[in-house]
Amino acid sequence: MRILVVEDEDDIASIVRAKLQQQGYIVDVVGSVGEAEAAVTCAAYTLIILDRRLPDGDGLQLVPRIRQIQSETPVIMLTALDSVSAKVAGLNSGADDYLSKPFDSDELLARMR
């Protein structure tokens, strides 16, 4: 399985990458909406883990584009925005799940399954 992690915080990106690689996944990490859009255009992903607060915009704006390019690829929002309205906005944008930071990596793996 190939997973795209869209996360601009290096520490979090490294933790997620390491945990997923330990599970045998191939992991690509990018840090912006623009890089993520380029990645989904160039490669097929089994799952996308997407932050909301990115240097060039809100990850929510990327979800409809992902659906156009890779309609079957699940998207999990992984973000510090944890209000009910933020979660609803994420799910309404087309995300399949929403996990708030700080998070437990075992919970992330369970949600991926």
Side-chain angles (χ1 to χ4, degrees):
M1 285 179 62
R2 187 172 190 172
I3 298 173
L4 177 63
V5 176
V6 185
E7 174 61 64
D8 64 320
E9 294 182 39
D10 291 337
D11 292 346
I12 293 174
S14 294
I15 290 167
V16 172
R17 173 187 275 155
K19 186 67 171 184
L20 297 179
Q21 287 176 334
Q22 287 173 356
Q23 300 297 313
Y25 297 112
I26 298 166
V27 182
D28 296 336
V29 176
V30 297
S32 71
V33 170
E35 291 172 337
E37 187 168 353
V40 298
T41 302
C42 295
Y45 291 98
T46 308
L47 173 70
I48 297 171
I49 300 172
L50 178 60
D51 190 9
R52 289 215 30 204
R53 291 184 183 164
L54 296 163
D56 59 343
D58 189 331
L60 287 185
Q61 70 191 40
L62 183 60
V63 178
R65 184 70 176 132
I66 292 169
R67 294 292 178 228
Q68 288 177 333
I69 299 168
Q70 297 188 33
S71 62
E72 300 299 315
T73 303
V75 176
I76 298 176
M77 302 296 297
L78 180 61
T79 178
L81 299 174
D82 63 355
S83 68
V84 172
S85 62
K87 292 175 186 178
V88 169
L91 295 169
N92 284 343
S93 75
D96 297 284
D97 201 355
Y98 197 105
L99 184 59
S100 300
K101 297 174 189 173
F103 66 98
D104 184 282
S105 56
D106 289 332
E107 181 180 2
L108 174 60
L109 290 173
R111 289 172 182 263
M112 289 171 54
R113 288 189 292 274

